[in-house]
Amino acid sequence: MVGLVVPWRGPGAGRVLAAWTPGLHEALVGLGEGDFVIVDGTLIPTDRIKADEPYYSQKHKQHGMDVQVIAVPDGTPLWFSRATPGRTHDLTAARAHGIAPACLTRQILILADRAYQGAGATVRTPHYHHHEQPEHYQRFNRDHSRLRAPGKRASAQLKPWRLLRRARCPTRRIGTIVQAIHTPLTCDSSR
């Protein structure tokens, strides 16, 4: 079999790699009832000016683009969303991408942080004010945190890419870049 050689430089390389990444429903193939995924949002810093208010994240105190990440329990990324402006709340972004309904149709449980509270029946988030609640709420929060921790590794796999440390490209290209990076990440994890 002849290997496909894809140039890493040039305007089309990112689009070619991005085309190979699975969509949300394709990424969830193989998962079903009784399985769970970890959903988290991450901010890709951008080089923007103060006038670009939609890209300013109050939470991170910097300009950027928000990317939603779905990972399996061992921390392997399954899917990266298209990028939305940095001020987009994680719950709003998850609803825009249809993450909860896609998992609901396959009866997949979602573990997420408090930002996703109210996302739907299949989304489990920690309890608020657990220090004022009975011990079983505290135990639930500890177990939830332990199970969700490997999902942080999936979004952390984007951070070492020099291209995304402080993106200086147009914001519409960041989603394509993230999708292009997803292809080698999934190729490495399947070995």
Side-chain angles (χ1 to χ4, degrees):
M1 187 164 112
V2 178
L4 178 65
V5 177
V6 179
W8 283 94
R9 296 193 184 259
R15 280 182 257 145
V16 169
L17 288 172
W20 289 345
T21 60
L24 176 59
H25 294 284
E26 295 167 342
L28 297 175
V29 169
L31 298 175
E33 189 174 353
D35 292 328
F36 72 92
V37 294
I38 302 156
V39 176
D40 197 18
T42 187
L43 186 81
I44 306 297
T46 58
D47 191 18
R48 295 283 129 197
I49 59 173
K50 189 174 182 175
D52 294 332
E53 185 182 334
Y55 302 102
Y56 187 77
S57 169
Q58 287 290 337
K59 178 181 174 184
H60 298 283
K61 304 293 185 215
Q62 64 181 347
H63 289 84
M65 297 294 285
D66 180 55
V67 175
Q68 297 296 304
V69 181
I70 296 179
V72 292
D74 68 354
T76 305
L78 282 179
W79 180 77
F80 293 111
S81 73
R82 68 183 184 278
T84 56
R87 76 171 178 190
T88 307
H89 192 274
D90 285 341
L91 179 57
T92 305
R95 284 181 175 156
H97 299 305
I99 294 173
C103 291
L104 180 62
T105 58
R106 296 187 165 274
Q107 297 181 352
I108 301 170
L109 184 67
I110 299 171
L111 297 183
D113 59 18
R114 289 182 180 161
Y116 296 88
Q117 198 131 27
T122 59
V123 180
R124 299 291 181 262
T125 59
H127 293 285
Y128 275 117
H129 308 294
H130 65 274
H131 57 278
E132 299 169 4
Q133 301 291 338
E135 175 63 28
H136 66 277
Y137 285 127
Q138 294 178 18
R139 191 173 36 247
F140 173 85
N141 284 356
R142 280 192 302 270
D143 292 341
H144 184 274
S145 179
R146 181 181 48 81
L147 290 171
R148 199 173 54 80
K152 292 286 188 186
R153 280 187 240 139
S155 57
Q157 289 180 15
L158 289 175
K159 304 302 181 177
W161 289 82
R162 186 174 180 200
L163 191 59
L164 294 177
R165 286 193 192 138
R166 192 152 194 85
R168 290 174 178 83
C169 63
T171 53
R172 67 183 180 281
R173 289 191 56 213
I174 292 176
T176 305
I177 292 168
V178 169
Q179 297 295 324
I181 288 172
H182 183 259
T183 302
L185 287 178
T186 52
C187 289
D188 288 342
S189 65
S190 64
R191 293 183 185 174

